[in-house]
Amino acid sequence: MKLHNYFRSSASYRVRIALAVKGLAYDYLAVHLVKGEQKAPAHAAISPDRLVPVLEVDGEFLTQSMAIIEYLDEQHPTPPLLPADALGRAQVRALAQMVACEMHPPTNLRVLKYLVNELAQDEEHKTAWYHHWCRSGLEAFERQLQVLAESRARRGLAPSVFCYGDSLTLADCCLLPQIYNAQRFNVPLEGLPLTMAAFEAALQTPAAQQAHPSACPDVQA
């Protein structure tokens, strides 16, 4: 397998975590987003949306991090990134989608560059935009974790160590990159006890450390 990705890309980071959880080897192919390498003909030929990550498997090119992770989970089911039961899978997917579909889109690099370049917003306004969408999303995530904690208690289940249960799931694959970027942009993270506890627990796992941007070959200060 080959992973076309960028060390700081949240979506790429998600897939790297999943690959590390599964213990899967892959070739790391860097695509520098800030330099616009995703728009080069070679990358555009394998990624119609001109984004990362792209996972190359047996001559096929898979795009979109959530689809890639679920592909990996189906092809390499142990250890699983989704619970065995339908309710658990729906709850984990909901958490993951709160990040991937709600928080991440308005705060990704393309949007921030558009704010600055096309809409002539200065750094102060760009930062305020990022803080608003990231913080409000994390507050919603915290509320959802509280709902799930209450649900687990009603069903006699132990409190979650990570976002859901006692092992990394698709939700953690999404939360880790989101908090990493929130910290980069100095988003206030107080008042999120369940979210930050799940993040800290996940961050200590070997898979998270292996996939961390600081461990990537294309890392830059």
Side-chain angles (χ1 to χ4, degrees):
M1 290 189 293
K2 299 178 181 179
L3 182 65
H4 304 253
N5 79 131
Y6 180 55
F7 79 101
R8 215 174 253 163
S9 157
S10 292
S12 297
Y13 189 179
R14 295 170 197 157
V15 174
R16 293 198 304 269
I17 296 168
L19 287 163
V21 167
K22 303 291 184 181
L24 297 172
Y26 61 94
D27 292 333
Y28 186 110
L29 302 178
V31 180
H32 201 301
L33 299 186
V34 178
K35 294 180 180 179
E37 292 179 357
Q38 71 276 19
K39 299 177 183 178
H43 187 76
I46 64 172
S47 176
D49 53 13
R50 299 181 180 182
L51 299 174
V52 293
V54 176
L55 185 68
E56 187 175 345
V57 184
D58 298 329
E60 299 293 335
F61 299 93
L62 306 179
T63 62
Q64 291 297 323
S65 63
M66 304 290 273
I68 293 171
I69 293 172
E70 293 224 24
Y71 165 84
L72 292 171
D73 209 38
E74 291 173 7
Q75 293 295 109
H76 307 276
T78 304
L81 287 168
L82 287 167
D85 63 298
L87 175 62
R89 290 194 297 274
Q91 291 173 331
V92 166
R93 287 185 174 117
L95 287 170
Q97 289 173 21
M98 290 180 78
V99 177
C101 302
E102 302 292 341
M103 271 184 268
H104 181 232
T107 60
N108 69 24
L109 179 62
R110 291 183 300 161
V111 171
L112 298 181
K113 289 177 70 174
Y114 188 83
L115 284 172
V116 173
N117 297 333
E118 274 68 34
L119 300 184
Q121 298 299 306
D122 58 22
E123 284 296 314
E124 180 181 356
H125 286 90
K126 183 187 82 169
T127 299
W129 171 281
Y130 191 101
H131 280 213
H132 169 76
W133 292 112
C134 186
R135 176 68 197 194
S136 62
L138 288 172
E139 289 173 355
F141 194 91
E142 177 74 15
R143 293 192 294 270
Q144 183 69 358
L145 287 183
Q146 182 60 50
V147 168
L148 293 181
E150 293 166 0
S151 171
R152 292 180 69 86
R154 286 195 304 272
R155 291 181 286 149
L157 300 176
S160 292
V161 176
F162 303 103
C163 285
Y164 186 96
D166 58 2
S167 62
L168 293 180
T169 67
L170 177 63
D172 300 287
C173 290
C174 292
L175 180 63
L176 279 162
Q178 189 64 44
I179 298 295
Y180 167 78
N181 281 317
Q183 291 172 333
R184 286 182 54 231
F185 280 84
N186 297 314
V187 175
L189 296 173
E190 68 278 0
L192 303 168
L194 297 176
T195 300
M196 295 309 296
F199 167 74
E200 293 294 345
L203 190 63
Q204 300 308 311
T205 63
Q209 294 177 19
Q210 181 181 334
H212 195 274
S214 64
C216 292
D218 58 332
V219 65
Q220 296 175 342

